[in-house]
Amino acid sequence: MTETWKPIPMFCPNCGKMNYGYKGIDEKIKYECDRCMVKFVRVRKGRRHDTIEMFAPPGQESVI
């Protein structure tokens, strides 16, 4: 079994800070921003389609 842990960069959709995540077994890439404490998950749906789910930190709520 050959596992390669390669960091995958992505800017935080909330504050713009560069973050690095790692791909899990379920092919999801999980990130947590150090600046704004938002957690987000990037799921690859196809060759040109990714979905990003954002989760607000405890004690805060999303304003839309």
Side-chain angles (χ1 to χ4, degrees), residues 3 13 17 27 43 49 55 58 61 63:
E3 287 187 35
K17 183 181 183 294
E27 297 295 317
V43 181
H49 182 201
F55 303 98
E61 54 186 57
V63 178

Side-chain angles (χ1 to χ4, degrees), residues 2-61:
T2 59
E3 287 187 35
T4 57
W5 288 84
K6 182 173 91 171
I8 301 168
M10 182 175 168
F11 288 103
C12 176
N14 191 40
C15 69
K17 183 181 183 294
M18 177 63 76
N19 292 289
Y20 295 93
Y22 294 94
K23 194 179 290 189
I25 295 171
D26 54 357
E27 297 295 317
K28 293 181 181 179
I29 306 166
K30 297 178 183 177
Y31 301 90
E32 183 174 356
C33 184
D34 295 335
R35 184 184 300 164
C36 64
M37 303 307 290
V38 169
K39 294 181 182 178
F40 50 102
V41 179
R42 182 175 163 187
V43 181
R44 181 125 185 169
K45 299 289 185 177
R47 186 170 52 126
R48 295 177 292 189
H49 182 201
D50 289 354
T51 301
I52 300 170
E53 299 174 355
M54 292 179 53
F55 303 98
Q60 294 184 8
E61 54 186 57

